[in-house]
Amino acid sequence: MGVVSILTHSFTDGYNREFARVFGGGLERYILDLCSVIHEMGHIPEVHQLSYFEAFQTRTEQIDVFGYPYDMNDVPEAFARMAHAARGPIIYASCIWQPIAYKPGSLGICHGINWDRPGLPLETKQQVAEHIQQAVDGLLNIVSVDSHFQTYCRASCTFSDPAQLILIPNAVDTSYFTPAPPRRQMQQEQEAQWLSQWKEDLEQHEDRLDRIFISSTSDASPPGLEQDHHTDGDTPENMLKQKPEVQNEENEESAESEEQHDGFAVVNKVNEQDAVSRPVRILYPRRVSLERGIIPMMLAADQLLGAFPDLEIEFAGELVEGSTVGRSFRYWHRTHPHANRIFHRTYDFRDIREAYHHADIAVIPTIFSEGTSYACLEAMSCGLPVVASNVGGLNDLIQDGFNGLLVPPNQEALTAALVRLVQDRAERERLGIYARETALAYDLSRWKRKWSEVLRTFLADADMKEGVR
């Protein structure tokens, strides 16, 4: 039985000084699952990570964890100290965009491209390309969680062995993350009818949005997503026109009417089949952080909550107390005029299914730095329709209009897609059915099998065949 050392920037909560608790993020979930595979193979995983505070040593989930204080401007030096202290073959599980001096014969993981922020200086992106080439040259293999990093390396790096880059998409336990009972169902004739009308519906989508939204007549421009604040002049109210005349259209099947809420035009479908007995709930199952799209989500929430009196929004994710984004979110929530319909709760990995089961729509509004999102996979596996931005590995998961809605990473597109689903229960049902079917292709059992094969070869090369170092 041998030790396998995983080096990363985060596993237990080094952000809030809760060193014995695994932080609730995708990277941390990934490492926890990887340690489980290592255990099942008869080896002992250990994790070396960065700490925002003092050095620490703890044990959680049967894993020894070592924390290292570091200089924000010299991450490679901290990884060098971790590599020196590691007791077994090394897996570099994050920060491969840094100029790390890799220990020969080590394995690397890319959890998604995080230098895809449009505003980053070109010089910075060129430096990252050099660092990725350094990783390709210095690591035995690099496992990627999405196809985008694979494509990036093929376009920007040189290497001789195509098999050096291994694609293993993130996964979900489809036997645990199941639709809430009663399970959503669609009769065969309904499904056939929808499939025949799918293309037509997509073509009509733009016309439909024109009926929902009113373009702005003010000179205020939309808030920028590149900062974690906005000016008083860029409020959602200033981006909307005054109330237009109400128009009604009637036919034998249903009637549609337009109402105004906070200057926001909403199409209400009067149809008994679409009626619901409880509020529609939108779930944001992400960390409250800039890259995860918290700013456009908050702006979208401002408009949605004003437009739909029965709508609820839950933010289910970790928050770094004291951070600029964290303080802004707390203030926004506390002072919001619809605060009673905004919920924030941090879930354990094992409890997050509860949030999906109480939701009608999931939203993954990432603006940069996204791999194959765990939250997206979990929501899909639970049969929820997902509104996702077309960033990173989300493009691998969502086929727009089939198993979810894919939008540009901005507040306007996000809000439009959410309005579309809030108002159309039938479409939510349809998208959720095919989301669940898609998730089955990403079942956790497949992920474990692929990682076991990679580790078996890796550890054999490191003289750990059959568990003996």
Side-chain angles (χ1 to χ4, degrees):
M1 181 180 290
V3 174
V4 180
S5 303
I6 299 174
L7 278 53
T8 184
H9 74 271
S10 176
F11 181 54
T12 62
D13 190 357
Y15 302 105
N16 299 300
R17 227 172 195 156
E18 298 181 26
F19 301 130
R21 182 180 73 90
V22 176
F23 190 71
L27 169 66
E28 295 79 11
R29 169 81 65 85
Y30 191 102
I31 293 174
L32 191 62
D33 286 341
L34 182 57
C35 287
S36 174
V37 175
I38 293 171
H39 269 303
E40 291 173 3
M41 295 180 67
H43 301 294
I44 302 172
E46 65 176 20
V47 175
H48 300 258
Q49 70 168 81
L50 304 182
S51 171
Y52 278 88
F53 302 98
E54 68 273 12
F56 68 87
Q57 179 176 349
T58 187
R59 184 172 176 82
T60 183
E61 303 286 345
Q62 302 181 51
I63 304 165
D64 289 325
V65 185
F66 306 89
Y68 299 75
Y70 70 106
D71 183 341
M72 289 283 289
N73 297 317
D74 197 359
V75 171
E77 185 276 334
F79 271 81
R81 283 188 282 127
M82 289 192 281
H84 180 74
R87 298 178 293 175
I90 294 174
I91 301 175
Y92 291 87
S94 67
C95 294
I96 65 171
W97 60 90
Q98 295 276 354
I100 294 173
Y102 297 99
K103 185 175 179 179
S106 298
L107 196 65
I109 304 173
C110 179
H111 294 274
I113 293 175
N114 73 341
W115 55 95
D116 57 343
R117 191 172 180 180
L120 278 181
L122 180 60
E123 180 182 358
T124 300
K125 294 192 176 186
Q126 291 172 337
Q127 290 176 348
V128 169
E130 295 174 0
H131 300 161
I132 296 301
Q133 181 68 62
Q134 186 173 332
V136 171
D137 293 339
L139 292 167
L140 188 66
N141 291 102
I142 301 178
V143 174
S144 176
V145 304
D146 62 44
S147 65
H148 295 262
F149 177 74
Q150 211 175 34
T151 301
Y152 175 87
C153 289
R154 288 169 178 168
S156 303
C157 302
T158 58
F159 50 97
S160 59
D161 183 6
Q164 185 181 358
L165 301 179
I166 303 171
L167 176 60
I168 306 180
N170 285 351
V172 61
D173 186 349
T174 59
S175 66
Y176 177 75
F177 288 98
T178 56
R183 298 185 62 162
R184 296 172 172 84
Q185 295 180 347
M186 181 189 295
Q187 295 179 0
Q188 289 184 351
E189 57 270 21
Q190 291 177 311
E191 180 178 351
Q193 181 181 11
W194 175 71
L195 287 173
S196 67
Q197 295 179 349
W198 177 37
K199 185 175 181 180
E200 180 182 351
D201 290 343
L202 291 178
E203 293 174 350
Q204 294 176 350
H205 177 45
E206 291 187 2
D207 293 337
R208 184 179 178 192
L209 290 183
D210 289 340
R211 301 179 62 193
I212 296 175
F213 284 102
I214 307 168
S215 60
S216 173
T217 57
S218 69
D219 294 331
S221 59
L225 299 183
E226 66 278 1
Q227 298 182 4
D228 60 357
H229 64 277
H230 62 275
T231 62
D232 293 338
D234 288 338
T235 60
E237 289 77 12
N238 290 338
M239 297 164 58
L240 302 170
K241 289 181 66 177
Q242 298 298 319
K243 178 178 179 180
E245 296 181 0
V246 177
Q247 299 178 348
N248 293 315
E249 298 178 1
E250 297 183 356
N251 56 39
E252 295 181 358
E253 299 295 332
S254 64
E256 293 184 355
S257 64
E258 289 188 0
E259 295 182 2
Q260 294 293 318
H261 297 274
D262 296 344
F264 188 81
V266 180
V267 177
N268 290 320
K269 292 191 174 182
V270 183
N271 189 316
E272 291 183 1
Q273 184 178 358
D274 291 335
V276 293
S277 59
R278 61 176 178 79
V280 173
R281 174 170 288 204
I282 296 174
L283 176 67
Y284 169 93
R286 318 303 317 273
R287 294 198 311 273
V288 178
S289 62
L290 183 65
E291 71 278 7
R292 292 295 174 249
I294 188 60
I295 301 302
M297 184 61 210
M298 289 161 62
L299 293 172
D302 288 340
Q303 298 190 58
L304 291 163
L305 290 167
F308 299 99
D310 292 331
L311 181 69
E312 298 176 343
I313 300 179
E314 179 176 8
F315 294 83
E318 295 275 7
L319 182 150
V320 178
E321 298 291 353
S323 66
T324 301
V325 172
R327 291 197 306 270
S328 300
F329 177 80
R330 293 287 195 204
Y331 179 80
W332 173 82
H333 187 188
R334 185 173 64 252
T335 61
H336 203 281
H338 305 293
N340 63 319
R341 291 188 282 128
I342 301 172
F343 307 94
H344 177 237
R345 177 180 170 186
T346 299
Y347 291 83
D348 183 84
F349 293 142
R350 301 168 182 84
D351 299 329
I352 186 63
R353 184 178 66 171
E354 176 186 343
Y356 296 119
H357 281 184
H358 285 89
D360 299 282
I361 304 166
V363 56
I364 313 292
T366 305
I367 58 175
F368 65 94
S369 186
E370 183 69 85
T372 309
S373 167
Y374 277 111
C376 186
L377 281 170
E378 291 168 354
M380 294 172 73
S381 187
C382 287
L384 287 179
V386 177
V387 175
S389 55
N390 57 358
V391 173
L394 293 171
N395 292 293
D396 290 345
L397 298 176
I398 300 295
Q399 298 297 314
D400 184 45
F402 176 70
N403 59 1
L405 300 182
L406 207 58
V407 300
N410 61 59
Q411 176 259 325
E412 293 84 0
L414 178 68
T415 307
L418 288 171
V419 167
R420 175 179 171 182
L421 292 188
V422 168
Q423 295 190 125
D424 196 336
R425 183 183 182 186
E427 185 168 22
R428 296 200 303 267
E429 297 285 340
R430 291 192 296 267
L431 296 177
I433 288 169
Y434 288 98
R436 168 66 181 179
E437 292 298 314
T438 302
L440 295 175
Y442 294 85
D443 186 72
L444 184 61
S445 61
R446 298 186 180 188
W447 183 89
K448 287 186 173 183
R449 184 170 61 252
K450 291 180 180 179
W451 254 112
S452 295
E453 295 171 358
V454 171
L455 287 171
R456 193 170 294 111
T457 301
F458 170 59
L459 298 179
D461 291 342
D463 294 328
M464 292 182 64
K465 190 173 182 180
E466 296 180 358
V468 180
R469 290 187 62 191

